[in-house]
Amino acid sequence: SRPPWVTDTVPYGVGRQLLADIWYPCTSDPATLKTCRQSHLIASEVIHAMCVNFNVPKWLMGHMALAKTNAFIDAPLDQSAVGSNGCPVVIFAHGLGGLRMQNTSLLEELASRGYVCVAADFPYDATLVVFPDGEQAQFIFLQDGPTAVLPQELLAFRRRCIQHRAADLHFIRQKLADMHANPADSLYGALDCALPALIGHSYGGGTVVEAAQSGPASAVVMLDGWLFCNSRASAERGVDVPLLSLRCPTFLNDRDEFCFSNAQLTDLLCARSRVCESVVMPIGHYDFTDIVWIAPIIFRFFGLMDIKPSQRREVHDFVVGSVANFLDRHYPTNVDNKGHKLEPPQCASLSLERQDPPRLPGLLEDGDFEWTEAQLKTVKEAAALVAKGEEAWPSTGSVLLPRGCGLADLAEQLQVFMASHTLESIRRQLAAQLAKLGVYFPDEESDRLPPQAPPGVRRQFVRADSASEIGGLYPP
């Protein structure tokens, strides 16, 4: 049983449970495996519940229940794969709306190399969790959450969520340690739980960073990890264990203010971490998962798959090979691991940008920076709403521009996106870039518009009288 989810004042999911799968190296004896049931990727009851909950025709998703994996349920452990310290342990974290089985092929590959891998559904963050007793935990986002959570609390809300998720990973590690110490358990004495490796996709990437900063870990792998909810202070801190970052050039195409800072925060985290290997891959966010194999037509139609079907094998082999190679080299007790060491894989059809460490000089030295189109678009739209006196938090500018925000206040908030740049550098660049868009700020001292502002332009920003008026969503 886990603590309630979402807020401290509004209990949600009291007695919350975690549903997990475990992959481990099993016997390869054909006669023994014939007595075991081969695992399906997604259970038919889960597919059925998803169709009902999301009002999707069963014929559109029903075939997913037919997809089988390479794993066998309750197959005997291959004792020859257990080293003197036990099998190295990997814990996987999915993202918002993800599922514990979304990267099964990766975890199967690691299990075949001697790792014991665990993936759990995070209730209310997963697309849908169907427990063995039929109880369900459906995905909840802000608009469906408790009424006590207001839009302007979104970041603080997701910050609490990521702390819950990191605590869940520590809980899983403890449960594995209990299994390791239990003579009646099939994995008795087979688990090296002291320092697990952590792998996360998207929001799960931020989760494993939080977990590595708050508890034991041997290595961290981010598959296009989302760090916005970890806070800039978390990125500044880095991680003290080896870090592998495989990511896209932009996060979900920099579609909003919650995404377009991600590359900068990821680069900052990598630069501040003790050991980091980073590769930028020209693929899409969901191409890191197995959805490209089970329903390519559907997911391409909904814009969730960027690569061509002909590229799936090469991308898959690169991602899996990179992760396996990284863990083989950095897991502390892998001297007994029987897996073969991989050379750093290549991906011939993609132009890869290897960064080691990523953009370190640009992150740690003050200087000018270039604003992305998404950043300028967000600021411009929010500025227009502020100019009209809008009191509602605009969907495209809610994080950047609370009503009544002045240039200095805006620069201070934007510093979360700008790594180690000084406030003065941000202010100077912000004013220059927005002037090109016809947006002008009053002077901080005189409260007058700058002389280059055209005659008759409306003053679009005024200084706030107090910090409470400035607002701001960034967690401490």
Side-chain angles (χ1 to χ4, degrees), residues 397-446:
S398 58
V399 171
L400 294 179
L401 292 173
R403 187 168 184 264
C405 181
L407 176 58
D409 307 318
L410 174 59
E412 185 174 349
Q413 290 196 35
L414 285 176
Q415 193 177 33
V416 72
F417 303 128
M418 300 304 155
S420 297
H421 293 285
T422 65
L423 283 175
E424 180 57 35
S425 170
I426 295 174
R427 254 177 68 174
R428 184 178 68 252
Q429 291 295 315
L430 175 62
Q433 294 287 349
L434 291 184
K436 298 176 183 178
L437 300 173
V439 178
Y440 297 90
F441 290 85
D443 181 82
E444 296 295 327
E445 298 298 329
S446 67

Side-chain angles (χ1 to χ4, degrees), residues 211-338:
Q213 291 177 336
S214 60
S218 64
V220 170
V221 176
M222 295 194 306
L223 304 177
D224 208 28
W226 186 42
L227 298 177
F228 192 77
C229 300
N230 292 66
S231 80
R232 182 175 183 270
S234 172
E236 287 262 10
R237 179 180 171 186
V239 292
D240 294 329
V241 298
L243 168 67
L244 172 65
S245 171
L246 304 179
R247 68 171 177 86
C248 307
T250 62
F251 186 81
L252 292 174
N253 297 318
D254 285 347
R255 65 187 182 189
D256 55 35
E257 67 270 28
F258 302 110
C259 297
F260 66 58
S261 66
N262 200 65
Q264 294 160 321
L265 290 175
T266 301
D267 286 347
L268 178 59
L269 176 79
C270 291
R272 299 294 178 140
S273 297
R274 182 168 63 87
V275 176
C276 175
E277 298 175 23
S278 177
V279 180
V280 179
M281 304 178 64
I283 64 177
H285 183 66
Y286 298 98
D287 296 336
F288 288 96
T289 73
D290 290 343
I291 67 168
V292 298
W293 294 98
I294 60 176
I297 297 177
I298 297 174
F299 286 106
R300 280 186 71 86
F301 178 79
F302 286 106
L304 300 179
M305 176 178 167
D306 287 27
I307 59 174
K308 300 175 182 177
S310 60
Q311 294 177 305
R312 289 180 300 179
R313 170 57 62 186
E314 192 173 19
V315 170
H316 170 271
D317 289 350
F318 179 84
V319 171
V320 171
S322 296
V323 174
N325 172 262
F326 179 79
L327 295 184
D328 279 353
R329 288 183 286 111
H330 291 291
Y331 201 95
T333 60
N334 257 4
V335 292
D336 293 320
N337 184 17
K338 297 178 64 177

Side-chain angles (χ1 to χ4, degrees), residues 67-122:
K68 291 186 177 182
T69 72
N70 298 302
F72 291 85
I73 298 174
D74 294 330
L77 173 68
D78 179 6
Q79 293 294 340
S80 67
V82 182
S84 58
N85 296 296
C87 295
V89 169
V90 172
I91 304 177
F92 176 82
H94 66 73
L96 287 179
L99 293 167
R100 70 183 187 278
M101 67 286 290
Q102 67 175 53
N103 284 78
T104 290
S105 62
L106 168 61
L107 302 181
E108 284 183 339
E109 172 64 23
L110 293 176
S112 74
R113 299 167 59 82
Y115 295 84
V116 172
C117 304
V118 184
D121 284 322
F122 296 100

Side-chain angles (χ1 to χ4, degrees), residues 5-255:
W5 179 85
V6 177
T7 71
D8 299 326
T9 57
V10 183
Y12 210 95
V14 177
R16 190 168 55 92
Q17 301 180 73
L18 298 180
L19 185 62
D21 288 333
I22 302 178
W23 293 262
Y24 54 87
C26 73
T27 179
S28 57
D29 177 49
T32 303
L33 293 179
K34 280 185 179 180
T35 65
C36 303
R37 183 161 55 94
Q38 192 170 3
S39 172
H40 285 76
L41 182 64
I42 307 178
S44 58
E45 57 267 26
V46 175
I47 294 293
H48 176 75
M50 289 172 65
C51 292
V52 171
N53 287 340
F54 300 117
N55 197 27
V56 175
K58 190 174 181 180
W59 59 265
L60 193 62
M61 300 178 64
H63 71 282
M64 296 184 191
L66 303 176
K68 291 186 177 182
T69 72
N70 298 302
F72 291 85
I73 298 174
D74 294 330
L77 173 68
D78 179 6
Q79 293 294 340
S80 67
V82 182
S84 58
N85 296 296
C87 295
V89 169
V90 172
I91 304 177
F92 176 82
H94 66 73
L96 287 179
L99 293 167
R100 70 183 187 278
M101 67 286 290
Q102 67 175 53
N103 284 78
T104 290
S105 62
L106 168 61
L107 302 181
E108 284 183 339
E109 172 64 23
L110 293 176
S112 74
R113 299 167 59 82
Y115 295 84
V116 172
C117 304
V118 184
D121 284 322
F122 296 100
Y124 314 110
D125 272 353
T127 295
L128 179 70
V129 186
V130 180
F131 294 97
D133 61 1
E135 194 73 22
Q136 296 184 12
Q138 300 182 23
F139 175 68
I140 297 175
F141 196 61
L142 183 65
Q143 61 269 30
D144 301 316
T147 55
V149 180
L150 302 175
Q152 55 264 48
E153 295 175 332
L154 177 59
L155 270 177
F157 163 77
R158 279 298 167 198
R159 177 65 178 158
R160 288 193 294 271
C161 291
I162 211 167
Q163 291 170 336
H164 271 272
R165 290 162 63 101
D168 286 344
L169 297 189
H170 298 318
F171 174 78
I172 291 171
R173 185 186 70 86
Q174 183 56 55
K175 287 299 179 183
L176 291 173
D178 294 342
M179 295 169 63
H180 174 76
N182 183 3
D185 196 280
S186 60
L187 295 179
Y188 170 63
L191 303 175
D192 177 14
C193 305
L195 295 170
L198 307 175
I199 304 176
H201 173 254
S202 191
Y203 195 44
T207 300
V208 297
V209 168
E210 176 75 19
Q213 291 177 336
S214 60
S218 64
V220 170
V221 176
M222 295 194 306
L223 304 177
D224 208 28
W226 186 42
L227 298 177
F228 192 77
C229 300
N230 292 66
S231 80
R232 182 175 183 270
S234 172
E236 287 262 10
R237 179 180 171 186
V239 292
D240 294 329
V241 298
L243 168 67
L244 172 65
S245 171
L246 304 179
R247 68 171 177 86
C248 307
T250 62
F251 186 81
L252 292 174
N253 297 318
D254 285 347
R255 65 187 182 189

Side-chain angles (χ1 to χ4, degrees), residues 441-465:
F441 290 85
D443 181 82
E444 296 295 327
E445 298 298 329
S446 67
D447 209 31
R448 295 179 180 176
L449 286 171
Q452 66 267 31
V457 68
R458 180 176 178 178
R459 188 173 67 185
Q460 297 191 359
F461 291 83
V462 295
R463 288 181 296 175
D465 294 328

